[in-house]
Amino acid sequence: EDQVTQSPEALRLQEGESSSLNCSYTVSGLRGLFWYRQDPGKGPEFLFTLYSAGEEKEKERLKATLTKKESFLHITAPKPEDSATYLCAVQRDSNYQLIWGAGTKLIIKP
Amino acid sequence: GEEVAQTPKHLVRGEGQKAKLYCAPIKGHSYVFWYQQVLKNEFKFLISFQNENVFDETGMPKERFSAKCLPNSPCSLEIQATKLEDSAVYFCASSQSDAGSGYTFGSGTRLTVV
């Protein structure tokens, strides 16, 4: 069964304290892996798409990496405005559905 | 515009009543997706459209849910005879192609069935 598992469920960091979020997946055929950020009361905001193992993408303090079984979202020197829920989703190559993880709630304390 | 517009933001219905949600995708985006988000961030795929044609409806509870994307009109998601378990936030997303560049999501419609 296709599945996406994110860990940890919640992560509290001090401002400037770097860390990583994990997204483990099993999917019959991977078209792409997506990272989104969701703020309370809003829709998910697209961050990255990764297509193949070894690929990396960066945006400001965020860097996403991909292996055949998992993806990491590394956050370097985070600021309070990085506080949000970070969602990972995989897209099957048989259709365009996204299979979502439950998210990691990230809280950055000043 | 460059945003996906969903209306209404909030909708309250008594059990058994009809609910209709609307989504205006970004102009030029040919794919539209509906997702249901329940507790603990769980997103469930409902249906997708390529232009006005249903692309994938494998997630739709067909007995009570229906959806349309007609030319020159907002897309719609309709729930007949709502049940308590339909309470959720319904998100619409659009993309230019098959979403390699990422979907753009609307802000969602929060449906509360009482």
Side-chain angles (χ1 to χ4, degrees):
Chain A
E1 184 188 345
D2 296 342
Q3 192 170 305
V4 177
T5 304
Q6 289 188 248
S7 61
E9 279 190 26
L11 182 61
R12 293 175 186 270
L13 301 171
Q14 288 294 136
E15 184 172 1
E17 182 184 358
S18 302
S19 189
S20 296
L21 313 182
N22 177 264
C23 171
S24 298
Y25 65 92
T26 53
V27 64
S28 50
L30 179 70
R31 190 181 185 92
L33 183 142
F34 296 77
W35 282 98
Y36 283 86
R37 167 194 172 127
Q38 187 176 25
D39 293 294
K42 295 192 175 180
E45 177 189 340
F46 172 73
L47 294 173
F48 303 109
T49 311
L50 301 166
Y51 293 101
S52 55
E55 190 174 358
E56 298 183 355
K57 288 194 176 170
E58 284 189 68
K59 180 180 178 179
E60 296 179 356
R61 295 177 291 283
L62 298 175
K63 179 179 173 181
T65 61
L66 181 66
T67 71
K68 287 187 177 178
K69 293 183 179 179
E70 59 191 350
S71 176
F72 290 94
L73 184 66
H74 307 278
I75 182 159
T76 303
K79 298 181 178 181
E81 55 261 40
D82 295 322
S83 298
T85 296
Y86 289 84
L87 296 159
C88 171
V90 297
Q91 189 180 36
R92 293 184 179 116
D93 64 4
S94 56
N95 56 39
Y96 300 152
Q97 289 184 31
L98 292 180
I99 305 159
W100 296 82
T104 293
K105 185 173 183 178
L106 179 65
I107 299 169
I108 308 298
K109 296 180 284 184
Chain B
E2 290 301 307
E3 64 172 33
V4 175
Q6 288 191 249
T7 56
K9 287 196 182 301
H10 301 280
L11 190 59
V12 180
R13 288 290 179 265
E15 208 173 359
Q17 290 186 315
K18 184 173 77 173
K20 195 162 186 178
L21 291 59
Y22 296 92
C23 167
I26 291 173
K27 200 171 182 180
H29 282 194
S30 52
Y31 286 85
V32 172
F33 303 81
W34 284 97
Y35 285 87
Q36 179 193 55
Q37 186 180 33
V38 291
L39 293 173
K40 287 201 159 187
N41 299 320
E42 181 188 330
F43 277 83
K44 181 191 171 192
F45 169 79
L46 295 174
I47 191 168
S48 60
F49 289 84
Q50 183 181 16
N51 298 311
E52 62 266 28
N53 304 307
V54 173
F55 187 75
D56 180 355
E57 57 181 348
T58 53
M60 286 283 271
K62 289 183 183 175
E63 322 79 63
R64 298 182 298 109
F65 285 58
S66 62
K68 293 179 186 176
C69 274
L70 300 175
N72 303 313
S73 297
C75 296
S76 64
L77 176 69
E78 189 168 330
I79 309 172
Q80 303 284 345
T82 53
K83 297 183 177 182
L84 296 175
E85 62 259 32
D86 298 330
S87 295
V89 181
Y90 291 82
F91 285 103
C92 172
S94 70
S95 70
Q96 281 184 314
S97 62
D98 56 2
S101 55
Y103 307 162
T104 303
F105 280 81
S107 295
T109 293
R110 179 175 293 279
L111 172 66
T112 303
V113 181
V114 298

